[in-house]
Amino acid sequence: MSALGDLSAWLLDDGPRTPRQAALGRLYAGWRRFAANRLALIGLAIIVVLVALALFAPLLAPYSPIAGDLGGARLLAPGAAHWLGTDDQGRDIGSRLLWGARITLEVVALVAVLAAPLGLLVGTTAGYAGGWVDAVLMRITDIFLAFPRLVLALAFVAALGPGIVNAVIAIAITSWPPYARIARAETLTLRQADYISAVRLLGARPARIVLRHIMPLCLSSVIVRVTLDMAGIILTAAGLGFLGLGAQPPSPEWGAMIAGARAYVIDQWWLAAAPGAAIFIVSLGFNLLGDGLRDALDPKSSP
């Protein structure tokens, strides 16, 4: 215990001796704030379980997510052989949910990789450059923000064609404006800081200042917003799948599974209840995780 106490004291030292100690101390202090939030830990646990289920779906799924048994296993209620029942094609719903978790994670990861850097780049460039560059970039951002995300995503998917890849592109195109707004607001404050002025006096070019000195300081706010937006991204992807514009049958995407259960929702309720519950739990997990990250990454919070 004394060794752990010494390590904790070293990490929380008010006068760090090296940049490494300072960086580790900030991470440790952030983790302490995060771990103090029990709901945030529940959200983290949900996401960890989701990732584990998606990674080990081939080992955990007892049945094929595509092939079914129309003759002997069609529309079976939850039971010992099929814990979550079967659908109208005789396919095991639990196995389809496990494989569908992979699609959900792929959509979330790809949208985050595409939308967050774009929004961060647009926002920091607009905030640092100012003038007509700021006006043009922010008016473009306002145009995207003027439309509801799902409606705009529907328009892009209709133009690109149905499919999971086109759905990811459409969601990414509609997701970057909030990140640009946040990054611009942070940049407007940071560009007047003394250390930015010092870097400018040393002869650093604007592109280097934005990429090396301003963007890293905006990352924490953007990461929090991305995490909080994951629930909306999942719902948008599920909405596109429900309308037949996202993942195409027989893909085990959760929104498409709900769409296929519409005709049986009264008598065979488990067909829609299982993927609906999965969407709800995962969305709740991302929201709880985002709230915890917001508290942990807030520089005004005390360790």
Side-chain angles (χ1 to χ4, degrees):
M1 293 298 293
S2 60
L4 293 177
D6 293 341
L7 178 60
S8 178
W10 180 78
L11 291 171
L12 297 177
D13 190 353
D14 292 334
R17 297 173 178 81
T18 63
R20 181 184 179 185
Q21 181 183 358
L24 292 176
R26 287 194 299 270
L27 289 175
Y28 181 66
W31 168 250
R32 282 164 57 97
R33 290 193 295 268
F34 181 86
N37 188 337
R38 293 185 178 180
L39 291 178
L41 291 178
I42 293 175
L44 178 61
I46 292 173
I47 303 307
V48 170
V49 170
L50 173 68
V51 173
L53 292 177
L55 289 176
F56 298 104
L59 301 176
L60 297 175
Y63 301 94
S64 168
I66 305 299
D69 182 7
L70 282 171
R74 184 174 182 270
L75 297 176
L76 294 180
H82 303 276
W83 289 3
L84 297 178
T86 61
D87 63 7
D88 59 320
Q89 301 296 317
R91 297 171 298 197
D92 182 68
I93 294 178
S95 299
R96 287 176 62 79
L97 285 181
L98 289 174
W99 283 92
R102 286 191 161 193
I103 299 176
T104 298
L105 282 179
E106 288 174 1
V107 170
V108 166
L110 289 174
V111 170
V113 168
L114 293 174
L118 176 60
L120 183 62
L121 178 62
V122 171
T124 52
T125 301
Y128 185 80
W132 67 268
V133 175
D134 183 23
V136 170
L137 292 177
M138 287 301 101
R139 295 302 75 77
I140 294 174
T141 303
D142 291 339
I143 292 173
F144 279 87
L145 289 173
F147 298 92
R149 178 181 295 180
L150 181 57
V151 174
L152 195 57
L154 284 172
F156 281 113
V157 172
L160 296 172
I164 191 65
V165 175
N166 290 339
V168 168
I169 295 174
I171 297 172
I173 292 174
T174 60
S175 298
W176 66 266
Y179 312 143
R181 280 290 183 186
I182 292 175
R184 176 181 179 270
E186 297 253 355
T187 304
L188 289 176
T189 302
L190 294 172
R191 71 177 184 179
Q192 303 299 331
D194 292 339
Y195 55 87
I196 297 297
S197 300
V199 172
R200 192 182 300 116
L201 290 174
L202 290 174
R205 300 165 67 178
R208 180 181 177 84
I209 294 174
V210 170
L211 294 174
R212 296 291 300 273
H213 300 283
I214 293 181
M215 274 191 181
L217 296 175
C218 299
L219 274 178
S220 60
S221 299
V222 172
I223 289 173
V224 171
R225 181 57 191 260
V226 168
T227 308
L228 290 172
D229 278 354
M230 290 305 177
I233 292 170
I234 292 172
L235 292 175
T236 302
L240 293 176
F242 181 83
L243 296 173
L245 297 174
Q248 299 298 296
S251 176
E253 196 272 329
W254 294 344
M257 290 175 64
I258 296 177
R262 285 177 295 180
Y264 310 94
V265 70
I266 301 298
D267 297 326
Q268 288 80 27
W269 53 268
W270 57 89
L271 271 71
I279 293 173
F280 168 76
I281 293 173
V282 173
S283 299
L284 177 63
F286 275 114
N287 279 332
L288 295 177
L289 178 62
D291 287 337
L293 288 177
R294 180 176 56 195
D295 296 338
L297 297 177
D298 185 2
K300 298 179 182 178
S301 300
S302 59

